[in-house]
Amino acid sequence: MNVHTFQLGGNAAEVYEAQKVSAIFRPLAESILRQVRVHPDDRILDVACGTGIVLRTIAARIPEFTRLAGVDLNAGMLEVARKLSTEANIECEWHQGDVAALPFDPGEFSLCFCQQGLQYFPDKPAALTSIRRVLPPGGRLVLSVWSEISPLFAAMGEALKTHVGDEAAARAVAPFAFRDGQAIEELLESAGFLINKALKITINRIMEPAEVSFPREMAGSPNADEVAKLNPEILANIVTDMKNSLTKYARAEGFVIPQTSHLYLCTKSRA
Ligand SMILES: C[S@@+](CC[C@H](N)C(=O)[O-])C[C@H]1O[C@@H](n2cnc3c(N)ncnc32)[C@H](O)[C@@H]1O
């Protein structure tokens, strides 16, 4: 497991799809797509595509496309993406690779999405330069990155720090480690993107009771291995600590916890 690149092992990609995509990444994709004009003649690339939710959401809105392609480092994520697009009859290419070395020609795509990927790229300028290369001048980039630590993961990080250790705690909040809007804007501009619109989007995660949803959340994360090894008493203590930190978000049927993202709508500058 790798803290920095959101690598999942075992059946974690399936758990990711079943739990996290429905709870957060699908609503986020839907919300982002309400801000973006997508045309049937767009050639669309989704980098760090995971299990492919962005492309599936696009395909559900516009049935015919010139080209849909996804790239991700993780073979397990791509396997789930391929299976789901085949089942849904969506014609889509899935490529395993590093965003910093995209296997495409210059200007091959007109519109690129990167949903919650930038924070994991070890060389962010190289990643953005690589994305820029595969767009034509005026080509669009739609980029989202969490803008603050979600209360759910702050609580999880604290509980893991107490009961498991610093490394597990750091892994829990790694998705939020790169969230400074000014730093992201500087990165985009110095990679040759013009920011046409910057906004924030909040998704309210609806969670089942803590005893069910909190262990499941950890089982679909890069902490899956550590959590699987815990004895039931320690796991119960983690859940109790998280519940105590999250009382503000408790509802009769579980929890409703906000998670907020930056969204940047950019174009490749001509210079
Ligand atoms: C939190 S997931 C987001 C996945 C997807 N965009 C979504 O919204 O469900 C982050 C993804 O980034 C991928 N990733 C991390 N570093 C990468 C890199 N250097 N190149 C390509 N993909 C990368 C991971 O494998 C993982 O699938």
Side-chain angles (χ1 to χ4, degrees), residues 5 7 16 25 48-50 72-74 77 97-99 115-116:
T5 62
Q7 293 309 286
Y16 174 90
F25 293 101
C49 62
D72 201 282
L73 263 188
N74 189 287
M77 290 287 212
D98 187 333
V99 62
Q115 173 166 295
Q116 306 305 332

Side-chain angles (χ1 to χ4, degrees), residues 1 17 29 31 49 58 74 87 99 102 134 211 220 229 233 239 243 250 268:
M1 296 287 180
E17 172 62 31
S31 186
C49 62
I58 291 171
N74 189 287
E87 282 170 9
V99 62
L102 290 170
V134 302
E211 289 70 16
K229 282 186 258 163
E233 201 182 319
V239 171
K243 263 167 82 170
K268 173 173 169 171

Side-chain angles (χ1 to χ4, degrees), residues 213-249:
S213 60
F214 296 170
R216 202 166 56 192
E217 185 64 35
M218 291 185 275
S221 79
N223 272 323
D225 286 354
E226 282 70 11
V227 173
K229 282 186 258 163
L230 293 177
N231 78 43
E233 201 182 319
I234 293 182
L235 189 57
N237 290 338
I238 292 173
V239 171
T240 302
D241 284 7
M242 288 177 67
K243 263 167 82 170
N244 291 339
S245 306
L246 292 166
T247 47
K248 181 175 161 191
Y249 305 103

Side-chain angles (χ1 to χ4, degrees), residues 139-194:
R140 293 180 290 160
L141 168 63
V142 177
L143 178 95
S144 63
V145 184
W146 300 123
S147 59
E148 48 213 72
I149 302 179
S150 137
L152 171 65
F153 291 89
M156 189 190 294
E158 281 305 309
L160 287 169
K161 193 181 173 84
T162 306
H163 299 285
V164 180
D166 288 349
E167 248 183 68
R171 262 189 222 111
V173 293
F176 312 95
F178 186 72
R179 59 181 187 274
D180 176 346
Q182 197 181 329
I184 298 167
E185 286 174 27
E186 280 170 16
L187 257 180
L188 283 164
E189 283 163 359
S190 48
F193 287 100
L194 201 67

Side-chain angles (χ1 to χ4, degrees), residues 5 20 25 35 41 48 52 67 102 104 126-127 135 142 148 165 195 207-208 228-229 231 235 249-250 254 256:
T5 62
K20 293 187 189 280
F25 293 101
Q35 304 289 333
D41 56 353
R67 188 172 180 197
L102 290 170
F104 305 112
L135 292 169
V142 177
E148 48 213 72
I195 301 169
M207 304 196 74
E208 288 182 81
K229 282 186 258 163
N231 78 43
L235 189 57
Y249 305 103
V256 178

